[in-house]
Amino acid sequence: MNLSYFIAKRISFKRTGGFTGTIHRIAVASIAIGLSILILSFLILGGFQEVVSNKVFSFTGHYQVHKFTSSNAYEDLPSSKNSNFYKNYQEYGFIGHVQEYAYKPGLLKGDEEVQGVLLKGISKDFDEEVFSYSLKSGRFIQFAEDGSASNEILLSSKIADKLRLKVGDKIIMYFVQDPPRYRRFDIVGVYETYLEDFDDKVILGDIQTIRNLNGWENDMVGGFEVFLKNPSQIDELEDELYGRIDYDLKIDKVTDKYIQIFDWLKLLNNNVYVFLGLILFVAAFNMVAILFILIMERTQMIGMLKAMGSTNRQIRRIFVWNGIRIIGRGLLIGNLIGLGICALQDWTKVIGLDPTNYYMSYVPIQWNWPIIISLNVLVLLVTTLVLFIPAMVISNVQPIKAIRFD
């Protein structure tokens, strides 16, 4: 049997009481609390970034492919669905889905208010499943089987509240063009993303309506929204996608188009990394201080072991093993607390948020197991390495003085 490990077990807090047992419990608690806080921080941050990113991507895709234009107008020049890119995109392994779109600005007239909006034309290939998480009430647009324009639209809750509209109401939208035109729409659904870039101005309708207003052919669209199979590769795949599109098309990366949102999400990482450093420092400091205290309390034992022929290395390993046992219990309890709270929040959504400030109504959780495992390994490595700092004091302990130590 390993003598150092055997002695470490004998002096563990399960077999000792009083001061030593209290010190052990404080050490376990400090590790457990630190790890649970780190798990909560990273899983909540990941959930927050995922929810906000998905809301943007559900509206825009990961890339928008459209014609080159020198103006900043909301309307794009028409592209053809017969382009090589659209006909062959299924051959590109990194693309999961492509859907057509077109924009047209106009004015919505309520009973008392007028609101400038941007009609986004979509079709049957629009990913309803991804968008369904933002649908607050009503249903999605039903497109005509014969290809004629549907008069159904979706409004944001902000626009609906401002114009005092609800699902089932009818409304007129005016389009400023030559000659001016208008269309009467039926409101069939209300969405809510809590993101001002969309909720303040975008309504969803049939792209065929925009084709009819602009005099486009049935194969013409404003552009294509491209969804990747792996969104984390959005930066790496931009150049490859450029090589696949037609010469007269360009790419807008959504993370650049809405850079204010995604830069803000990246800044949140810095806060968590600072938090990680502080937690690791506190945990390491606690382990060093607690091991110093344990060595001081066991000075007589150290002297007796040295007098009986134990080497400094053997005695150091006793306290290192003792520290590892403390760390192990702390990690176990920390995981139970952190993952337990995350699971409870994920299932019940018991902790709510103000959506006007946080863009969601509850604290989200992202189950990122590589992050969880990495946090455990990092805490284990850092706290284990610092155990050797106080253990070095043992080499300076003289047996005669240690035995007399009181």
Side-chain angles (χ1 to χ4, degrees):
M1 177 182 290
N2 188 315
L3 179 62
S4 299
Y5 182 70
F6 174 77
I7 297 175
K9 287 177 63 178
R10 299 293 297 180
I11 64 174
S12 67
F13 69 91
K14 284 187 176 181
R15 298 177 179 270
T16 57
F19 181 72
T20 303
T22 302
I23 290 298
H24 277 77
R25 290 182 179 88
I26 291 174
V28 170
S30 66
I31 297 292
I33 293 172
L35 179 62
S36 61
I37 291 174
L38 286 177
I39 290 175
L40 285 167
S41 301
F42 275 87
L43 296 193
I44 290 173
L45 173 66
F48 186 79
Q49 292 175 325
E50 182 180 45
V51 169
V52 174
S53 298
N54 287 343
K55 284 185 177 184
V56 176
F57 294 145
S58 69
F59 247 93
T60 62
H62 299 108
Y63 304 107
Q64 291 185 329
V65 179
H66 56 90
K67 280 282 187 70
F68 281 98
T69 178
S70 58
S71 69
N72 294 321
Y74 285 113
E75 296 186 59
D76 294 308
L77 296 175
S79 304
S80 174
K81 292 168 65 175
N82 293 321
S83 65
N84 290 329
F85 164 72
Y86 188 73
K87 289 193 297 184
N88 300 320
Y89 78 86
Q90 294 179 341
E91 300 176 4
Y92 312 147
F94 58 90
I95 295 179
H97 176 62
V98 174
Q99 59 193 32
E100 59 194 64
Y101 76 92
Y103 286 113
K104 191 167 185 66
L107 296 173
L108 280 181
K109 184 179 183 303
D111 293 336
E112 300 179 3
E113 298 279 348
V114 175
Q115 174 74 26
V117 297
L118 191 61
L119 174 63
K120 179 178 181 178
I122 57 177
S123 64
K124 294 178 182 179
D125 62 7
F126 187 82
D127 195 335
E128 295 181 35
E129 183 179 355
V130 173
F131 183 77
S132 63
Y133 296 101
S134 299
L135 191 61
K136 184 178 179 182
S137 61
R139 60 171 175 81
F140 199 71
I141 300 169
Q142 292 180 349
F143 299 97
E145 294 294 334
D146 60 1
S148 59
S150 171
N151 64 345
E152 297 180 347
I153 61 170
L154 298 178
L155 299 181
S156 72
S157 60
K158 184 175 285 189
I159 295 175
D161 291 342
K162 185 173 183 179
L163 298 180
R164 300 178 183 177
L165 299 170
K166 62 182 182 301
V167 174
D169 289 348
K170 297 181 182 294
I171 192 167
I172 296 176
M173 183 171 181
Y174 294 90
F175 300 93
V176 181
Q177 58 184 84
D178 189 18
R181 295 186 180 183
Y182 71 90
R183 291 290 186 273
R184 185 183 298 275
F185 293 118
D186 297 326
I187 302 171
V188 297
V190 174
Y191 74 85
E192 190 169 41
T193 66
Y194 304 112
L195 298 172
E196 295 178 356
D197 295 87
F198 307 116
D199 289 359
D200 283 354
K201 60 187 177 183
V202 178
I203 68 174
L204 299 180
D206 191 342
I207 193 173
Q208 190 60 42
T209 299
I210 297 179
R211 290 192 184 111
N212 295 341
L213 290 167
N214 291 345
W216 291 354
E217 299 294 331
N218 288 337
D219 67 334
M220 305 302 285
V221 297
F224 307 101
E225 294 175 340
V226 180
F227 291 81
L228 299 177
K229 292 181 178 178
N230 185 0
S232 63
Q233 295 182 306
I234 188 170
D235 294 323
E236 294 83 350
L237 293 174
E238 183 179 11
D239 290 338
E240 182 171 353
L241 184 59
Y242 256 118
R244 308 276 188 169
I245 63 176
D246 300 65
Y247 71 93
D248 59 342
L249 298 178
K250 64 171 290 189
I251 295 174
D252 284 337
K253 187 168 62 174
V254 170
T255 51
D256 290 339
K257 187 173 183 178
Y258 298 97
I259 191 170
Q260 71 279 7
I261 295 176
F262 289 95
D263 277 356
W264 170 62
L265 292 177
K266 289 179 181 178
L267 283 174
L268 295 177
N269 288 331
N270 297 335
N271 297 335
V272 175
Y273 292 144
V274 170
F275 200 52
L276 171 63
L278 290 174
I279 292 291
L280 288 176
F281 174 79
V282 172
F285 181 83
N286 284 344
M287 287 304 303
V288 170
I290 287 167
L291 208 59
F292 267 127
I293 294 171
L294 293 176
I295 290 172
M296 291 286 292
E297 202 217 0
R298 294 287 175 174
T299 301
Q300 288 184 333
M301 184 193 77
I302 295 171
M304 290 291 295
L305 290 173
K306 282 194 171 187
M308 290 188 294
S310 295
T311 64
N312 288 327
R313 181 181 179 186
Q314 287 177 319
I315 300 173
R316 278 198 296 267
R317 288 171 62 184
I318 293 173
F319 289 94
V320 171
W321 275 118
N322 201 11
I324 292 174
R325 287 170 62 84
I326 291 173
I327 295 168
R329 288 191 179 91
L331 293 178
L332 177 60
I333 296 173
N335 278 290
L336 291 175
I337 295 174
L339 297 178
I341 294 175
C342 288
L344 180 65
Q345 173 62 21
D346 194 29
W347 294 335
T348 65
K349 310 291 189 295
V350 65
I351 304 175
L353 295 173
D354 180 4
T356 57
N357 294 322
Y358 296 98
Y359 310 116
M360 59 198 73
S361 58
Y362 61 90
V363 175
I365 301 295
Q366 182 192 48
W367 292 102
N368 191 329
W369 293 106
I371 286 291
I372 295 172
I373 294 171
S374 298
L375 288 174
N376 277 270
V377 172
L378 185 60
V379 172
L380 176 63
L381 287 176
V382 171
T383 51
T384 300
L385 288 174
V386 299
L387 292 177
F388 291 92
I389 297 174
M392 297 301 294
V393 176
I394 294 171
S395 60
N396 298 324
V397 176
Q398 298 179 9
I400 296 177
K401 290 184 179 180
I403 294 172
R404 292 176 178 175
F405 180 79
D406 187 359

